[in-house]
Amino acid sequence: MDLSFSPEDAAFREEVRRFIDENYPENLKGKLDEGEEWSKEDYLSWHRILGKKGWVAPAWPTEYGGPGWSATQRYIFSEELARADTVPILPFGISMVAPVIYTFGTPEQKARFLPRILSGEDWWCQGYSEPGAGSDLASLRTKAERDGDHYIVNGQKTWTTLAQHADWGFFLVRTDASVKAQEGISFLLIDMKTPGITVRPIITLGGEHEVNEVWLENVRVPVENRVHEENKGWTCAKFLLAHERTGIAGVARSKRGIEKLRAIAATELDGDRSLIENPFFKRKIAELEIDLAALEFTELRGLAALAAGKPPGAESSLLKIKGTEIQQRITELTLEAVGHYGAPWFRGFGDSDNEHAIGPEYALRAAPTYFNMRKTSIYGGSNEIQRGIIAKMVLGL
C-alpha cells in the first residue's frame, strides 16, 4: 500500500482547502465552540453550498450525482472538512439510505429520492433501534402488515437522531414473525408527515435535543416505498451498517479534536507551568496520538480495498470500536484539562442563561460534549457486538 500522496492529490487538497476558506459561511465559524448548537438551517446551508459545487456526496457514483472521486480524494476531502471544523455532512441521507437506494432500489425509487437527498430537500432519519432491540437489532418488534397496496405499521423506535427535523425516515420493520428473526424483516421508506407518527424528544445528558423516540400507530406506507424484496430488509440493514461504521471512525475529526486538546493544555496551568508540560498528561496525549495514527493506517488500508472495488467488511467493525474509543478519550482529556471551568455546563447545575460565561470560551462545550460522546460506543451497533463480528468473521471463532 502506497501511503504517499501524488502531486495530483496535493493539488486537489489545495483546491478543497481554498474552496472551504472562500465559501464556508462566516456565521457558522466557531458557533459550536461558543456554546450554541447547530440548527437545521446551519446543516442545510453548508449542504447546499457543497451540493451546488457537486461535492456533497463524495462516495456516490457519478451516474447519480457523485463527483467521481477516488478513495484517496474522499479521504483528503474529509480531512479538510475536519481541519476547517465545518458543520458535518449529515450521514442519514447522503451516506446511509442513499447507497441502499442506488444499490437495491427500483429505478422509480432512485429517480424519486436520490435528487432530493442530493439537494437537501429531504432530511432523513434512521428508524432502527427500539426499546427492546438495540444491539440485538434482529429482535425488533415494529410490525408491518400488508393491506393491499400498503403496509400498516405499528411500533416504537428510539434514539432516532434529529427526527424532529426529518421529512423522511428509513425503517426496519417485521413483515413475517414465523421465520428466523433476520429473515422476516423489511426495509421501508416512510414519509414522516404520515398520520399516526409521533416524535417525542429525549434530552441527553449534555442537555441537547438530539435524539427522539418515534411512535408509529396504524401508519399507512405504500408498498412501493419498500426497498428490495419483502423479508429481505436485513440485507439492506447489514449493507447500510457497514458503511455507517466506517464513517463513525471519524479519524479526521479526532485529529482536529487532539489539536484543540493540545491548545487547551498549553493554555491551562498546572501549578506554575502549563498543563501540556505535565509529564503524566503529556503521556496521555501521546498515547492517544499513537492509537489514532494506528487507526488512520487501518482506515487507509480500508480505503485501498475500496479503491480496488471491495465492499466494506469486518474491518469496519474494528474502525468503529477504536474510532469511538478514541473519540471518548479525547472528550475525557478535554474535560480533565478545563477542570472546574467545565462544571457550570453540567446539565442540572443551574440556569445560567442570564449570567456571563465562567471561564474561557473553550470550556463551554467540554462537559456537554463529554456526556454526549458516551453514546458513541453504543450507537451504530455496540462495541461488544462489533467484537463478536470480528471474532467470527476475522478470527473464525
Side-chain angles (χ1 to χ4, degrees):
M1 182 178 65
D2 184 3
L3 296 180
S4 61
F5 291 107
S6 68
E8 292 77 16
D9 291 334
F12 176 74
R13 182 185 294 277
E14 286 303 314
E15 180 187 2
V16 172
R17 184 172 296 185
R18 185 169 57 253
F19 178 82
I20 295 172
D21 289 344
E22 294 174 356
N23 292 277
Y24 190 65
E26 283 292 330
N27 66 303
L28 298 184
K29 293 179 179 177
K31 181 174 181 178
L32 209 62
D33 292 334
E34 294 170 2
E36 298 183 62
E37 295 182 34
W38 287 317
S39 67
K40 180 177 182 177
E41 185 53 38
D42 291 339
Y43 285 105
L44 289 177
S45 63
W46 184 226
H47 182 113
R48 294 186 194 107
I49 291 168
L50 290 173
K52 186 176 180 180
K53 179 68 173 176
W55 286 1
V56 77
W60 285 26
T62 54
E63 61 263 39
Y64 302 122
W69 288 345
S70 67
T72 302
Q73 287 175 311
R74 296 199 297 270
Y75 180 77
I76 290 171
F77 182 65
S78 68
E79 277 204 318
E80 290 304 311
L81 291 179
R83 183 196 66 82
D85 213 12
T86 67
V87 174
I89 302 170
L90 285 177
F92 307 106
I94 292 291
S95 305
M96 294 167 70
V97 74
V100 171
I101 292 172
Y102 63 62
T103 302
F104 300 100
T106 64
E108 293 77 14
Q109 289 170 341
K110 296 174 188 178
R112 179 183 181 186
F113 292 109
L114 293 180
R116 295 177 66 87
I117 293 173
L118 203 61
S119 68
E121 290 176 81
D122 288 338
W123 180 297
W124 286 78
C125 66
Q126 177 185 26
Y128 271 29
S129 294
E130 299 182 4
S135 298
D136 182 17
L137 183 59
S139 66
L140 65 89
R141 299 175 63 183
T142 295
K143 181 172 60 175
E145 297 178 308
R146 188 73 175 261
D147 179 27
D149 293 334
H150 287 76
Y151 289 104
I152 309 300
V153 182
N154 284 278
Q156 181 189 359
K157 298 294 182 177
T158 193
W159 311 124
T160 313
T161 302
L162 299 177
Q164 70 269 31
H165 301 315
D167 303 297
W168 283 82
F170 50 98
F171 288 75
L172 291 182
V173 298
R174 185 160 303 287
T175 42
D176 189 344
S178 66
V179 296
K180 181 181 176 182
Q182 289 90 338
E183 295 174 0
I185 293 172
S186 296
F187 192 100
L188 297 184
L189 310 179
I190 302 180
D191 185 338
M192 293 296 287
K193 297 181 290 297
T194 307
I197 295 179
T198 303
V199 178
R200 297 173 182 165
I202 299 173
I203 305 304
T204 65
L205 280 171
E208 303 98 344
H209 177 196
E210 181 183 18
V211 291
N212 305 268
E213 57 182 7
V214 177
W215 294 83
L216 302 104
E217 300 173 276
N218 296 320
V219 176
R220 294 183 64 83
V221 180
V223 172
E224 65 187 29
N225 287 7
R226 186 194 69 229
V227 179
H228 204 29
E229 300 173 34
E230 185 170 278
N231 299 326
K232 298 297 182 182
W234 194 247
T235 301
C236 300
K238 290 191 298 181
F239 175 86
L240 185 150
L241 285 171
H243 284 77
E244 179 189 8
R245 288 164 186 160
T246 302
I248 287 173
V251 171
R253 296 277 173 182
S254 288
K255 281 185 176 182
R256 178 62 176 155
I258 292 178
E259 289 177 8
K260 289 184 176 181
L261 172 59
R262 279 190 163 277
I264 291 171
T267 302
E268 288 295 314
L269 293 178
D270 177 39
D272 59 353
R273 61 183 177 180
S274 66
L275 181 60
I276 196 69
E277 296 178 75
N278 180 304
F280 297 103
F281 196 84
K282 185 185 293 186
R283 177 174 178 170
K284 291 177 184 178
I285 294 179
E287 289 173 343
L288 192 56
E289 289 176 321
I290 291 168
D291 284 350
L292 184 57
L295 181 68
E296 182 177 17
F297 284 123
T298 303
E299 184 175 57
L300 288 170
R301 285 197 293 270
L303 288 172
L306 288 174
K310 299 178 182 178
E315 71 276 3
S316 64
S317 292
L318 178 60
L319 289 169
K320 197 273 176 178
I321 293 170
K322 292 303 296 182
T324 56
E325 288 178 347
I326 287 170
Q327 290 162 25
Q328 289 179 341
R329 285 163 59 194
I330 291 171
T331 63
E332 289 165 5
L333 286 182
T334 301
L335 187 57
E336 181 180 339
V338 303
H340 58 274
Y341 288 132
W345 309 105
F346 281 35
R347 186 182 172 210
F349 186 89
D351 184 3
S352 59
D353 288 347
N354 295 321
E355 303 293 333
H356 294 294
I358 300 172
E361 190 174 272
Y362 55 69
L364 300 182
R365 295 292 306 173
T369 302
Y370 165 80
F371 287 121
N372 188 280
M373 295 300 279
R374 298 301 89 200
K375 69 189 180 188
T376 62
S377 51
I378 300 173
Y379 71 33
S382 73
N383 286 4
E384 288 78 7
I385 295 294
Q386 303 315 309
R387 291 184 177 93
I389 292 172
I390 292 170
K392 181 179 180 180
M393 296 182 64
V394 179
L395 303 178
L397 299 179

